[in-house]
Amino acid sequence: MTRLAIAIDLDHCSGCHTCANACKMSNNVPMGMLWNRIVVENADGIYGAEGTYPNLVRTYLPLACQHCENPACQKVCPTGATYKDDKGRVEIDYGKCIGCRMCMAACPYNARVFNWNEPVRKPDFNYGDADVPLREKGMMEKCTLCKERTDRGQEPMCVTCCPMKCRTFGDLDDPNSEIARMKNAGSAFVLLEDMGTKPQVFYVK
């Protein structure tokens, strides 16, 4: 089997937001929406910096769909629009989505967004992945793990564009892969582990 996943090294993340902007451009994400965002917090989980100037500490937490093995969003979807594909990704069948937002409420990672805008693709702009489908107004959206790119054997755009190289992409079911090694190294952790969703995005420090 295949379980595509991403590992994020928090010690090397500089909070530059390149991943968020690269994702937005590649996937034609509408204005006012992000599939991939950076949560800024200090050691106490409070937004901002910790310490006294000039000795300040700020933590950056890149956050998107966790592509869970046991996704809460899939369980509540009334139409079957949310599904796990054969590569372990959590995806949305836009033809089945009715925009009820139950998945948005169920996701403990706040990873889904509702599209309030009509789809726009500007053919004169030299960016974006032409294979990424337009999402109609009134649908749910989220990180797809760059399905179109990864189906072509490429890495997700956030991995490709990270200037600090703090993201690693690969197959968790391949015991010889770098991401499997990182997952089994002992320092890896997932968000909200007690929720039982078993994320396939994990973090190392």
Side-chain angles (χ1 to χ4, degrees), residues 125-188:
F125 278 34
N126 188 27
Y127 67 77
D129 190 326
D131 291 336
V132 174
L134 290 177
R135 285 81 61 191
E136 298 295 330
K137 179 180 179 180
M139 287 187 178
M140 298 307 305
E141 298 189 15
K142 67 171 196 68
C143 159
T144 65
L145 212 58
C146 282
K147 182 180 187 301
E148 293 72 27
R149 288 177 59 84
T150 49
D151 279 350
R152 296 193 297 259
Q154 298 172 288
E155 294 181 331
M157 187 60 78
C158 63
V159 177
T160 298
C161 291
C162 177
M164 304 303 292
K165 304 301 180 186
C166 68
R167 290 174 175 250
T168 301
F169 171 73
D171 179 7
L172 286 175
D173 281 348
D174 177 1
N176 297 316
S177 67
E178 175 65 12
I179 198 165
R181 184 197 66 77
M182 294 174 70
K183 183 67 179 291
N184 297 324
S187 61

Side-chain angles (χ1 to χ4, degrees), residues 9-148:
D9 185 339
L10 296 181
D11 284 342
H12 287 86
C13 178
S14 65
C16 67
H17 290 76
T18 300
C19 57
N21 288 311
C23 166
K24 186 177 183 70
M25 293 176 68
S26 181
N27 292 288
N28 197 42
V29 179
M31 293 298 293
M33 292 168 52
L34 287 172
W35 288 4
N36 194 334
R37 65 190 193 279
I38 307 297
V39 178
V40 182
E41 58 184 24
N42 63 24
D44 296 321
I46 303 171
Y47 290 99
E50 178 185 28
T52 303
Y53 179 84
N55 301 309
L56 300 173
V57 176
R58 174 172 284 178
T59 300
Y60 302 99
L61 180 70
L63 187 62
C65 176
Q66 302 292 290
H67 294 275
C68 306
E69 291 185 38
N70 183 30
C73 55
Q74 182 182 22
K75 293 179 180 179
V76 301
C77 179
T79 65
T82 295
Y83 66 98
K84 287 278 289 183
D85 72 5
D86 60 355
K87 294 185 179 178
R89 300 168 298 201
V90 176
E91 302 292 353
I92 300 174
D93 183 335
Y94 301 119
K96 294 181 179 179
C97 180
I98 58 174
C100 67
R101 288 178 274 184
M102 291 183 68
C103 59
M104 189 177 190
C107 175
Y109 308 100
N110 195 26
R112 291 184 172 234
V113 289
F114 183 77
N115 188 355
W116 295 93
N117 304 306
E118 295 291 347
V120 175
R121 176 169 282 152
K122 299 180 180 180
D124 54 329
F125 278 34
N126 188 27
Y127 67 77
D129 190 326
D131 291 336
V132 174
L134 290 177
R135 285 81 61 191
E136 298 295 330
K137 179 180 179 180
M139 287 187 178
M140 298 307 305
E141 298 189 15
K142 67 171 196 68
C143 159
T144 65
L145 212 58
C146 282
K147 182 180 187 301
E148 293 72 27

